[in-house]
Amino acid sequence: MSIIPPSGSLVRFDNPTLITSQNDKDRKGAGPSKQSTGLDQQMMDVTAGGTGSPRLAKKQAAMKDLSLEEILDKILPPKITKDPNNADLLYCQRISSTPATRLDVINLQEQLDMRLQQRQARETGICPVRRELFSQCFDELIRQVAINCAERGLLLLRVRDELQMTLRAYQTLYESSVAFGMRKALMAEQGKSELERKLIQLEEDKRDLERQLKETKANAEAAEKKLNEQRQVEERKHMEEINFLKKTNQQLKAQLEGLIAPKK
């Protein structure tokens, strides 16, 4: 059998086994999806039932009928891997059913710290590497607990799934908020460009109006100057006419007096 390289996970797996055609048929005939569905329902009933209820006692008895392998497969599904030298050969690798000792837990902690340091995971903030390693560590702890107490392991599995669902919801919310912020930023940028164009147009209109104002003022001053000149010309003509009439009047008076004087 070809040697399959280790996955590098903190979860302990058994050695991979070759999946033959007969094993495939047996695996398909067993109906893993039905087993998983039944296991889910039993897990929900066990964790939701009250203490001492007949229903809980019945479900606990049903849990005893489940094999440890089925429970572990529910916690972490088996890995199906192709042979690197022969693509027709498939290998199945399940998580280990070997109980963990105190030394295993200490080694798990040391492996976690070592891999956090090797992969340069951040100590604070959002870090996908740190999240992946702690998820693997949590899965290994669920495996260890489930071997000793299947009900406790299944309850921890529900807690893990709930945390992952909540995390995915927050991630979706974050991504949607980022997309919303980007849309608003683009809209603001487009609005800014439109306002800049309007500002340029208004400045051009302002310059045109200022030019028109200057032309209007110049025309008004020219018209006023021309009007003043015309008024002065008319005043001079009027004064000349008055002076002419006065002079004519004086001449007529003198002639009239000259005509009247001899008669006396």
Side-chain angles (χ1 to χ4, degrees):
M1 181 178 65
S2 301
I3 298 176
I4 297 178
S7 60
S9 174
L10 293 175
V11 183
R12 178 182 293 182
F13 281 86
D14 288 331
N15 293 327
T17 57
L18 178 64
I19 302 177
T20 63
S21 299
Q22 184 63 35
N23 287 338
D24 278 339
K25 292 179 181 179
D26 295 340
R27 185 163 51 88
K28 292 178 181 178
S33 59
K34 295 181 180 179
Q35 292 178 359
S36 297
T37 303
L39 184 59
D40 284 338
Q41 185 62 39
Q42 292 170 8
M43 178 180 66
M44 294 286 290
D45 293 336
V46 169
T47 54
T51 304
S53 65
R55 185 180 180 185
L56 176 60
K58 183 178 179 180
K59 294 301 178 182
Q60 286 176 341
M63 287 290 294
K64 294 180 181 179
D65 296 335
L66 295 173
S67 65
L68 178 60
E69 184 179 272
E70 291 174 344
I71 297 175
L72 294 179
D73 286 348
K74 177 58 183 174
I75 295 174
L76 280 177
K79 293 183 178 182
I80 306 300
T81 310
K82 289 184 179 181
D83 191 320
N85 299 323
N86 189 351
D88 296 333
L89 296 180
L90 297 178
Y91 291 93
C92 177
Q93 191 175 24
R94 286 185 167 88
I95 59 175
S96 175
S97 58
T98 305
T101 62
R102 182 174 179 273
L103 182 59
D104 292 332
V105 178
I106 295 175
N107 290 334
L108 176 63
Q109 182 177 359
E110 292 176 353
Q111 285 289 324
L112 175 63
D113 295 335
M114 181 183 68
R115 295 192 184 185
L116 287 172
Q117 185 176 5
Q118 287 177 349
R119 300 181 62 178
Q120 298 180 352
R122 285 187 250 175
E123 295 183 0
T124 58
I126 299 175
C127 180
V129 174
R130 190 178 75 246
R131 175 191 168 193
E132 177 187 356
L133 292 175
F134 273 95
S135 296
Q136 294 176 5
C137 181
F138 191 35
D139 290 341
E140 172 62 17
L141 291 177
I142 295 176
R143 183 195 72 83
Q144 296 176 7
V145 172
I147 293 173
N148 295 327
C149 179
E151 291 82 359
R152 191 180 298 132
L154 292 173
L155 183 57
L156 285 175
L157 177 63
R158 288 188 62 191
V159 173
R160 183 199 69 178
D161 293 341
E162 175 64 25
L163 290 175
Q164 291 179 352
M165 183 179 65
T166 304
L167 184 60
R168 286 193 297 268
Y170 279 122
Q171 185 176 2
T172 302
L173 179 62
Y174 170 76
E175 291 174 354
S176 61
S177 63
V178 169
F180 177 77
M182 290 296 294
R183 288 196 300 271
K184 285 297 183 181
L186 290 175
M187 291 173 60
E189 189 66 25
Q190 293 175 356
K192 180 181 178 182
S193 302
E194 184 65 24
L195 289 176
E196 288 178 350
R197 287 194 296 269
K198 287 184 178 180
L199 178 61
I200 294 174
Q201 183 63 38
L202 290 174
E203 288 178 349
E204 292 179 355
D205 295 342
K206 176 186 175 184
R207 287 192 292 268
D208 292 339
L209 291 174
E210 288 177 347
R211 186 182 67 257
Q212 293 178 9
L213 178 61
K214 290 180 180 180
E215 292 176 354
T216 303
K217 284 183 177 181
N219 293 334
E221 291 175 355
E224 185 178 2
K225 183 178 179 181
K226 185 177 181 180
L227 183 62
N228 290 333
E229 291 176 354
Q230 290 178 355
R231 185 168 58 248
Q232 290 175 2
V233 171
E234 290 178 357
E235 287 178 355
R236 282 197 301 270
K237 288 175 65 177
H238 183 66
M239 291 299 297
E240 289 177 355
E241 290 177 357
I242 291 176
N243 292 331
F244 175 74
L245 291 175
K246 284 182 178 181
K247 186 176 180 180
T248 303
N249 188 22
Q250 290 175 358
Q251 290 177 355
L252 291 174
K253 273 186 178 184
Q255 291 178 0
L256 184 59
E257 289 176 355
L259 293 173
I260 293 176
K263 290 182 181 180
K264 291 181 177 181

PDB file of all heavy atoms in Angstrom, residues 209-239:
ATOM      1  N   LEU A 209     -20.749  86.073 -16.110  1.00  0.00           N
ATOM      2  CA  LEU A 209     -21.590  87.133 -15.536  1.00  0.00           C
ATOM      3  C   LEU A 209     -20.754  88.351 -15.133  1.00  0.00           C
ATOM      4  O   LEU A 209     -21.203  89.505 -15.301  1.00  0.00           O
ATOM      5  CB  LEU A 209     -22.351  86.582 -14.319  1.00  0.00           C
ATOM      6  CG  LEU A 209     -23.435  85.541 -14.633  1.00  0.00           C
ATOM      7  CD1 LEU A 209     -24.013  84.971 -13.333  1.00  0.00           C
ATOM      8  CD2 LEU A 209     -24.543  86.149 -15.476  1.00  0.00           C
ATOM      9  N   GLU A 210     -19.559  88.105 -14.599  1.00  0.00           N
ATOM     10  CA  GLU A 210     -18.686  89.234 -14.257  1.00  0.00           C
ATOM     11  C   GLU A 210     -18.291  90.017 -15.500  1.00  0.00           C
ATOM     12  O   GLU A 210     -18.247  91.257 -15.481  1.00  0.00           O
ATOM     13  CB  GLU A 210     -17.442  88.718 -13.521  1.00  0.00           C
ATOM     14  CG  GLU A 210     -17.725  88.243 -12.102  1.00  0.00           C
ATOM     15  CD  GLU A 210     -16.483  87.680 -11.440  1.00  0.00           C
ATOM     16  OE1 GLU A 210     -15.478  87.443 -12.176  1.00  0.00           O
ATOM     17  OE2 GLU A 210     -16.496  87.472 -10.212  1.00  0.00           O
ATOM     18  N   ARG A 211     -17.998  89.273 -16.585  1.00  0.00           N
ATOM     19  CA  ARG A 211     -17.663  89.956 -17.841  1.00  0.00           C
ATOM     20  C   ARG A 211     -18.857  90.765 -18.358  1.00  0.00           C
ATOM     21  O   ARG A 211     -18.710  91.918 -18.797  1.00  0.00           O
ATOM     22  CB  ARG A 211     -17.232  88.921 -18.877  1.00  0.00           C
ATOM     23  CG  ARG A 211     -16.710  89.552 -20.174  1.00  0.00           C
ATOM     24  CD  ARG A 211     -16.320  88.542 -21.214  1.00  0.00           C
ATOM     25  NE  ARG A 211     -17.486  87.815 -21.718  1.00  0.00           N
ATOM     26  CZ  ARG A 211     -17.809  86.589 -21.380  1.00  0.00           C
ATOM     27  NH1 ARG A 211     -17.045  85.914 -20.528  1.00  0.00           N
ATOM     28  NH2 ARG A 211     -18.873  86.002 -21.876  1.00  0.00           N
ATOM     29  N   GLN A 212     -20.037  90.173 -18.288  1.00  0.00           N
ATOM     30  CA  GLN A 212     -21.238  90.894 -18.717  1.00  0.00           C
ATOM     31  C   GLN A 212     -21.483  92.112 -17.833  1.00  0.00           C
ATOM     32  O   GLN A 212     -21.910  93.175 -18.333  1.00  0.00           O
ATOM     33  CB  GLN A 212     -22.445  89.955 -18.673  1.00  0.00           C
ATOM     34  CG  GLN A 212     -22.400  88.828 -19.689  1.00  0.00           C
ATOM     35  CD  GLN A 212     -23.591  87.888 -19.573  1.00  0.00           C
ATOM     36  OE1 GLN A 212     -24.534  88.169 -18.840  1.00  0.00           O
ATOM     37  NE2 GLN A 212     -23.535  86.772 -20.293  1.00  0.00           N
ATOM     38  N   LEU A 213     -21.216  91.971 -16.538  1.00  0.00           N
ATOM     39  CA  LEU A 213     -21.398  93.101 -15.629  1.00  0.00           C
ATOM     40  C   LEU A 213     -20.450  94.245 -15.982  1.00  0.00           C
ATOM     41  O   LEU A 213     -20.847  95.428 -16.011  1.00  0.00           O
ATOM     42  CB  LEU A 213     -21.172  92.642 -14.185  1.00  0.00           C
ATOM     43  CG  LEU A 213     -21.285  93.726 -13.108  1.00  0.00           C
ATOM     44  CD1 LEU A 213     -22.682  94.328 -13.107  1.00  0.00           C
ATOM     45  CD2 LEU A 213     -20.953  93.143 -11.736  1.00  0.00           C
ATOM     46  N   LYS A 214     -19.187  93.904 -16.271  1.00  0.00           N
ATOM     47  CA  LYS A 214     -18.231  94.937 -16.660  1.00  0.00           C
ATOM     48  C   LYS A 214     -18.661  95.616 -17.955  1.00  0.00           C
ATOM     49  O   LYS A 214     -18.598  96.852 -18.074  1.00  0.00           O
ATOM     50  CB  LYS A 214     -16.838  94.322 -16.826  1.00  0.00           C
ATOM     51  CG  LYS A 214     -16.199  93.895 -15.510  1.00  0.00           C
ATOM     52  CD  LYS A 214     -14.825  93.299 -15.752  1.00  0.00           C
ATOM     53  CE  LYS A 214     -14.169  92.870 -14.452  1.00  0.00           C
ATOM     54  NZ  LYS A 214     -12.833  92.278 -14.667  1.00  0.00           N
ATOM     55  N   GLU A 215     -19.106  94.794 -18.920  1.00  0.00           N
ATOM     56  CA  GLU A 215     -19.558  95.393 -20.183  1.00  0.00           C
ATOM     57  C   GLU A 215     -20.766  96.289 -19.960  1.00  0.00           C
ATOM     58  O   GLU A 215     -20.856  97.388 -20.535  1.00  0.00           O
ATOM     59  CB  GLU A 215     -19.902  94.278 -21.177  1.00  0.00           C
ATOM     60  CG  GLU A 215     -18.693  93.478 -21.640  1.00  0.00           C
ATOM     61  CD  GLU A 215     -19.085  92.340 -22.543  1.00  0.00           C
ATOM     62  OE1 GLU A 215     -20.326  92.116 -22.719  1.00  0.00           O
ATOM     63  OE2 GLU A 215     -18.196  91.649 -23.084  1.00  0.00           O
ATOM     64  N   THR A 216     -21.676  95.845 -19.123  1.00  0.00           N
ATOM     65  CA  THR A 216     -22.873  96.653 -18.840  1.00  0.00           C
ATOM     66  C   THR A 216     -22.499  97.952 -18.140  1.00  0.00           C
ATOM     67  O   THR A 216     -23.040  99.036 -18.464  1.00  0.00           O
ATOM     68  CB  THR A 216     -23.850  95.843 -17.978  1.00  0.00           C
ATOM     69  OG1 THR A 216     -24.172  94.625 -18.640  1.00  0.00           O
ATOM     70  CG2 THR A 216     -25.127  96.618 -17.737  1.00  0.00           C
ATOM     71  N   LYS A 217     -21.570  97.881 -17.183  1.00  0.00           N
ATOM     72  CA  LYS A 217     -21.125  99.096 -16.502  1.00  0.00           C
ATOM     73  C   LYS A 217     -20.447 100.058 -17.486  1.00  0.00           C
ATOM     74  O   LYS A 217     -20.680 101.271 -17.452  1.00  0.00           O
ATOM     75  CB  LYS A 217     -20.162  98.750 -15.363  1.00  0.00           C
ATOM     76  CG  LYS A 217     -20.837  98.201 -14.126  1.00  0.00           C
ATOM     77  CD  LYS A 217     -19.819  97.966 -13.022  1.00  0.00           C
ATOM     78  CE  LYS A 217     -20.476  97.486 -11.742  1.00  0.00           C
ATOM     79  NZ  LYS A 217     -19.481  97.276 -10.668  1.00  0.00           N
ATOM     80  N   ALA A 218     -19.596  99.465 -18.347  1.00  0.00           N
ATOM     81  CA  ALA A 218     -18.927 100.321 -19.341  1.00  0.00           C
ATOM     82  C   ALA A 218     -19.943 100.972 -20.272  1.00  0.00           C
ATOM     83  O   ALA A 218     -19.842 102.173 -20.589  1.00  0.00           O
ATOM     84  CB  ALA A 218     -17.926  99.477 -20.129  1.00  0.00           C
ATOM     85  N   ASN A 219     -20.927 100.219 -20.710  1.00  0.00           N
ATOM     86  CA  ASN A 219     -21.968 100.782 -21.577  1.00  0.00           C
ATOM     87  C   ASN A 219     -22.766 101.856 -20.852  1.00  0.00           C
ATOM     88  O   ASN A 219     -23.116 102.897 -21.444  1.00  0.00           O
ATOM     89  CB  ASN A 219     -22.905  99.675 -22.069  1.00  0.00           C
ATOM     90  CG  ASN A 219     -22.200  98.701 -23.007  1.00  0.00           C
ATOM     91  OD1 ASN A 219     -21.218  99.068 -23.666  1.00  0.00           O
ATOM     92  ND2 ASN A 219     -22.691  97.473 -23.070  1.00  0.00           N
ATOM     93  N   ALA A 220     -23.056 101.605 -19.579  1.00  0.00           N
ATOM     94  CA  ALA A 220     -23.825 102.590 -18.801  1.00  0.00           C
ATOM     95  C   ALA A 220     -23.015 103.878 -18.624  1.00  0.00           C
ATOM     96  O   ALA A 220     -23.553 104.990 -18.750  1.00  0.00           O
ATOM     97  CB  ALA A 220     -24.192 101.996 -17.444  1.00  0.00           C
ATOM     98  N   GLU A 221     -21.729 103.746 -18.327  1.00  0.00           N
ATOM     99  CA  GLU A 221     -20.885 104.939 -18.173  1.00  0.00           C
ATOM    100  C   GLU A 221     -20.768 105.700 -19.490  1.00  0.00           C
ATOM    101  O   GLU A 221     -20.827 106.944 -19.513  1.00  0.00           O
ATOM    102  CB  GLU A 221     -19.502 104.527 -17.672  1.00  0.00           C
ATOM    103  CG  GLU A 221     -19.510 104.002 -16.237  1.00  0.00           C
ATOM    104  CD  GLU A 221     -18.143 103.502 -15.817  1.00  0.00           C
ATOM    105  OE1 GLU A 221     -17.234 103.483 -16.687  1.00  0.00           O
ATOM    106  OE2 GLU A 221     -17.974 103.119 -14.645  1.00  0.00           O
ATOM    107  N   ALA A 222     -20.622 104.957 -20.594  1.00  0.00           N
ATOM    108  CA  ALA A 222     -20.528 105.619 -21.900  1.00  0.00           C
ATOM    109  C   ALA A 222     -21.832 106.338 -22.240  1.00  0.00           C
ATOM    110  O   ALA A 222     -21.825 107.472 -22.744  1.00  0.00           O
ATOM    111  CB  ALA A 222     -20.187 104.585 -22.981  1.00  0.00           C
ATOM    112  N   ALA A 223     -22.963 105.659 -21.933  1.00  0.00           N
ATOM    113  CA  ALA A 223     -24.260 106.293 -22.208  1.00  0.00           C
ATOM    114  C   ALA A 223     -24.448 107.527 -21.344  1.00  0.00           C
ATOM    115  O   ALA A 223     -24.956 108.570 -21.819  1.00  0.00           O
ATOM    116  CB  ALA A 223     -25.375 105.274 -21.962  1.00  0.00           C
ATOM    117  N   GLU A 224     -24.046 107.457 -20.069  1.00  0.00           N
ATOM    118  CA  GLU A 224     -24.190 108.608 -19.180  1.00  0.00           C
ATOM    119  C   GLU A 224     -23.308 109.769 -19.625  1.00  0.00           C
ATOM    120  O   GLU A 224     -23.716 110.944 -19.609  1.00  0.00           O
ATOM    121  CB  GLU A 224     -23.843 108.184 -17.753  1.00  0.00           C
ATOM    122  CG  GLU A 224     -24.065 109.279 -16.716  1.00  0.00           C
ATOM    123  CD  GLU A 224     -23.763 108.815 -15.317  1.00  0.00           C
ATOM    124  OE1 GLU A 224     -23.341 107.638 -15.158  1.00  0.00           O
ATOM    125  OE2 GLU A 224     -23.942 109.615 -14.377  1.00  0.00           O
ATOM    126  N   LYS A 225     -22.081 109.438 -20.063  1.00  0.00           N
ATOM    127  CA  LYS A 225     -21.184 110.491 -20.561  1.00  0.00           C
ATOM    128  C   LYS A 225     -21.745 111.151 -21.806  1.00  0.00           C
ATOM    129  O   LYS A 225     -21.731 112.391 -21.937  1.00  0.00           O
ATOM    130  CB  LYS A 225     -19.828 109.863 -20.855  1.00  0.00           C
ATOM    131  CG  LYS A 225     -18.786 110.865 -21.302  1.00  0.00           C
ATOM    132  CD  LYS A 225     -17.454 110.169 -21.534  1.00  0.00           C
ATOM    133  CE  LYS A 225     -16.401 111.170 -21.999  1.00  0.00           C
ATOM    134  NZ  LYS A 225     -15.101 110.504 -22.247  1.00  0.00           N
ATOM    135  N   LYS A 226     -22.274 110.333 -22.712  1.00  0.00           N
ATOM    136  CA  LYS A 226     -22.870 110.878 -23.936  1.00  0.00           C
ATOM    137  C   LYS A 226     -24.079 111.738 -23.615  1.00  0.00           C
ATOM    138  O   LYS A 226     -24.293 112.816 -24.212  1.00  0.00           O
ATOM    139  CB  LYS A 226     -23.265 109.730 -24.861  1.00  0.00           C
ATOM    140  CG  LYS A 226     -23.783 110.186 -26.204  1.00  0.00           C
ATOM    141  CD  LYS A 226     -24.071 108.982 -27.083  1.00  0.00           C
ATOM    142  CE  LYS A 226     -24.581 109.435 -28.446  1.00  0.00           C
ATOM    143  NZ  LYS A 226     -24.878 108.276 -29.327  1.00  0.00           N
ATOM    144  N   LEU A 227     -24.879 111.282 -22.651  1.00  0.00           N
ATOM    145  CA  LEU A 227     -26.062 112.051 -22.248  1.00  0.00           C
ATOM    146  C   LEU A 227     -25.659 113.378 -21.631  1.00  0.00           C
ATOM    147  O   LEU A 227     -26.288 114.432 -21.908  1.00  0.00           O
ATOM    148  CB  LEU A 227     -26.884 111.216 -21.258  1.00  0.00           C
ATOM    149  CG  LEU A 227     -28.194 111.842 -20.773  1.00  0.00           C
ATOM    150  CD1 LEU A 227     -29.139 112.058 -21.964  1.00  0.00           C
ATOM    151  CD2 LEU A 227     -28.871 110.946 -19.736  1.00  0.00           C
ATOM    152  N   ASN A 228     -24.608 113.351 -20.816  1.00  0.00           N
ATOM    153  CA  ASN A 228     -24.136 114.613 -20.224  1.00  0.00           C
ATOM    154  C   ASN A 228     -23.631 115.560 -21.296  1.00  0.00           C
ATOM    155  O   ASN A 228     -23.902 116.785 -21.245  1.00  0.00           O
ATOM    156  CB  ASN A 228     -23.019 114.323 -19.215  1.00  0.00           C
ATOM    157  CG  ASN A 228     -23.544 113.633 -17.964  1.00  0.00           C
ATOM    158  OD1 ASN A 228     -24.719 113.809 -17.617  1.00  0.00           O
ATOM    159  ND2 ASN A 228     -22.687 112.866 -17.307  1.00  0.00           N
ATOM    160  N   GLU A 229     -22.922 115.025 -22.264  1.00  0.00           N
ATOM    161  CA  GLU A 229     -22.435 115.880 -23.357  1.00  0.00           C
ATOM    162  C   GLU A 229     -23.607 116.472 -24.143  1.00  0.00           C
ATOM    163  O   GLU A 229     -23.600 117.672 -24.486  1.00  0.00           O
ATOM    164  CB  GLU A 229     -21.524 115.065 -24.279  1.00  0.00           C
ATOM    165  CG  GLU A 229     -20.197 114.681 -23.638  1.00  0.00           C
ATOM    166  CD  GLU A 229     -19.362 113.793 -24.545  1.00  0.00           C
ATOM    167  OE1 GLU A 229     -19.898 113.407 -25.615  1.00  0.00           O
ATOM    168  OE2 GLU A 229     -18.208 113.465 -24.198  1.00  0.00           O
ATOM    169  N   GLN A 230     -24.617 115.653 -24.444  1.00  0.00           N
ATOM    170  CA  GLN A 230     -25.783 116.156 -25.161  1.00  0.00           C
ATOM    171  C   GLN A 230     -26.505 117.222 -24.347  1.00  0.00           C
ATOM    172  O   GLN A 230     -26.966 118.247 -24.895  1.00  0.00           O
ATOM    173  CB  GLN A 230     -26.737 115.006 -25.490  1.00  0.00           C
ATOM    174  CG  GLN A 230     -26.213 114.058 -26.548  1.00  0.00           C
ATOM    175  CD  GLN A 230     -27.173 112.908 -26.808  1.00  0.00           C
ATOM    176  OE1 GLN A 230     -28.181 112.782 -26.123  1.00  0.00           O
ATOM    177  NE2 GLN A 230     -26.837 112.084 -27.816  1.00  0.00           N
ATOM    178  N   ARG A 231     -26.614 117.004 -23.025  1.00  0.00           N
ATOM    179  CA  ARG A 231     -27.288 117.992 -22.180  1.00  0.00           C
ATOM    180  C   ARG A 231     -26.514 119.303 -22.162  1.00  0.00           C
ATOM    181  O   ARG A 231     -27.102 120.400 -22.208  1.00  0.00           O
ATOM    182  CB  ARG A 231     -27.448 117.418 -20.768  1.00  0.00           C
ATOM    183  CG  ARG A 231     -28.253 118.333 -19.852  1.00  0.00           C
ATOM    184  CD  ARG A 231     -28.655 117.660 -18.559  1.00  0.00           C
ATOM    185  NE  ARG A 231     -27.498 117.187 -17.805  1.00  0.00           N
ATOM    186  CZ  ARG A 231     -27.216 115.910 -17.622  1.00  0.00           C
ATOM    187  NH1 ARG A 231     -27.989 114.985 -18.148  1.00  0.00           N
ATOM    188  NH2 ARG A 231     -26.149 115.558 -16.919  1.00  0.00           N
ATOM    189  N   GLN A 232     -25.188 119.229 -22.070  1.00  0.00           N
ATOM    190  CA  GLN A 232     -24.379 120.445 -22.089  1.00  0.00           C
ATOM    191  C   GLN A 232     -24.536 121.200 -23.421  1.00  0.00           C
ATOM    192  O   GLN A 232     -24.652 122.436 -23.445  1.00  0.00           O
ATOM    193  CB  GLN A 232     -22.919 120.092 -21.843  1.00  0.00           C
ATOM    194  CG  GLN A 232     -22.630 119.618 -20.418  1.00  0.00           C
ATOM    195  CD  GLN A 232     -21.195 119.171 -20.244  1.00  0.00           C
ATOM    196  OE1 GLN A 232     -20.407 119.256 -21.201  1.00  0.00           O
ATOM    197  NE2 GLN A 232     -20.842 118.730 -19.036  1.00  0.00           N
ATOM    198  N   VAL A 233     -24.547 120.428 -24.527  1.00  0.00           N
ATOM    199  CA  VAL A 233     -24.727 121.064 -25.839  1.00  0.00           C
ATOM    200  C   VAL A 233     -26.080 121.754 -25.914  1.00  0.00           C
ATOM    201  O   VAL A 233     -26.212 122.909 -26.388  1.00  0.00           O
ATOM    202  CB  VAL A 233     -24.564 120.018 -26.959  1.00  0.00           C
ATOM    203  CG1 VAL A 233     -24.976 120.637 -28.309  1.00  0.00           C
ATOM    204  CG2 VAL A 233     -23.124 119.541 -27.017  1.00  0.00           C
ATOM    205  N   GLU A 234     -27.125 121.066 -25.440  1.00  0.00           N
ATOM    206  CA  GLU A 234     -28.463 121.653 -25.472  1.00  0.00           C
ATOM    207  C   GLU A 234     -28.545 122.874 -24.565  1.00  0.00           C
ATOM    208  O   GLU A 234     -29.228 123.862 -24.899  1.00  0.00           O
ATOM    209  CB  GLU A 234     -29.493 120.600 -25.051  1.00  0.00           C
ATOM    210  CG  GLU A 234     -29.690 119.499 -26.078  1.00  0.00           C
ATOM    211  CD  GLU A 234     -30.666 118.439 -25.628  1.00  0.00           C
ATOM    212  OE1 GLU A 234     -31.136 118.565 -24.481  1.00  0.00           O
ATOM    213  OE2 GLU A 234     -30.945 117.509 -26.400  1.00  0.00           O
ATOM    214  N   GLU A 235     -27.874 122.808 -23.393  1.00  0.00           N
ATOM    215  CA  GLU A 235     -27.876 123.972 -22.496  1.00  0.00           C
ATOM    216  C   GLU A 235     -27.175 125.161 -23.158  1.00  0.00           C
ATOM    217  O   GLU A 235     -27.645 126.325 -23.039  1.00  0.00           O
ATOM    218  CB  GLU A 235     -27.187 123.610 -21.178  1.00  0.00           C
ATOM    219  CG  GLU A 235     -28.033 122.704 -20.291  1.00  0.00           C
ATOM    220  CD  GLU A 235     -27.294 122.327 -19.027  1.00  0.00           C
ATOM    221  OE1 GLU A 235     -26.096 122.700 -18.923  1.00  0.00           O
ATOM    222  OE2 GLU A 235     -27.894 121.662 -18.145  1.00  0.00           O
ATOM    223  N   ARG A 236     -26.050 124.894 -23.842  1.00  0.00           N
ATOM    224  CA  ARG A 236     -25.376 126.015 -24.526  1.00  0.00           C
ATOM    225  C   ARG A 236     -26.261 126.607 -25.617  1.00  0.00           C
ATOM    226  O   ARG A 236     -26.364 127.829 -25.763  1.00  0.00           O
ATOM    227  CB  ARG A 236     -24.055 125.515 -25.127  1.00  0.00           C
ATOM    228  CG  ARG A 236     -22.933 125.365 -24.105  1.00  0.00           C
ATOM    229  CD  ARG A 236     -21.580 125.289 -24.792  1.00  0.00           C
ATOM    230  NE  ARG A 236     -21.502 124.165 -25.728  1.00  0.00           N
ATOM    231  CZ  ARG A 236     -21.088 122.959 -25.414  1.00  0.00           C
ATOM    232  NH1 ARG A 236     -20.725 122.692 -24.164  1.00  0.00           N
ATOM    233  NH2 ARG A 236     -21.056 122.010 -26.332  1.00  0.00           N
ATOM    234  N   LYS A 237     -26.900 125.738 -26.387  1.00  0.00           N
ATOM    235  CA  LYS A 237     -27.789 126.220 -27.439  1.00  0.00           C
ATOM    236  C   LYS A 237     -28.934 127.025 -26.838  1.00  0.00           C
ATOM    237  O   LYS A 237     -29.341 128.071 -27.369  1.00  0.00           O
ATOM    238  CB  LYS A 237     -28.340 125.043 -28.244  1.00  0.00           C
ATOM    239  CG  LYS A 237     -27.293 124.405 -29.152  1.00  0.00           C
ATOM    240  CD  LYS A 237     -27.833 123.175 -29.829  1.00  0.00           C
ATOM    241  CE  LYS A 237     -28.955 123.531 -30.769  1.00  0.00           C
ATOM    242  NZ  LYS A 237     -29.460 122.351 -31.507  1.00  0.00           N
ATOM    243  N   HIS A 238     -29.459 126.486 -25.711  1.00  0.00           N
ATOM    244  CA  HIS A 238     -30.556 127.196 -25.062  1.00  0.00           C
ATOM    245  C   HIS A 238     -30.110 128.573 -24.564  1.00  0.00           C
ATOM    246  O   HIS A 238     -30.840 129.585 -24.736  1.00  0.00           O
ATOM    247  CB  HIS A 238     -31.088 126.344 -23.914  1.00  0.00           C
ATOM    248  CG  HIS A 238     -32.257 126.926 -23.212  1.00  0.00           C
ATOM    249  ND1 HIS A 238     -33.492 127.106 -23.816  1.00  0.00           N
ATOM    250  CD2 HIS A 238     -32.398 127.396 -21.929  1.00  0.00           C
ATOM    251  CE1 HIS A 238     -34.334 127.653 -22.967  1.00  0.00           C
ATOM    252  NE2 HIS A 238     -33.683 127.834 -21.788  1.00  0.00           N
ATOM    253  N   MET A 239     -28.928 128.645 -23.963  1.00  0.00           N
ATOM    254  CA  MET A 239     -28.397 129.920 -23.482  1.00  0.00           C
ATOM    255  C   MET A 239     -28.140 130.864 -24.653  1.00  0.00           C
ATOM    256  O   MET A 239     -28.419 132.076 -24.568  1.00  0.00           O
ATOM    257  CB  MET A 239     -27.111 129.689 -22.704  1.00  0.00           C
ATOM    258  CG  MET A 239     -27.315 128.983 -21.374  1.00  0.00           C
ATOM    259  SD  MET A 239     -28.382 129.903 -20.241  1.00  0.00           S
ATOM    260  CE  MET A 239     -27.417 131.374 -19.997  1.00  0.00           C
TER     261      MET A 239
END
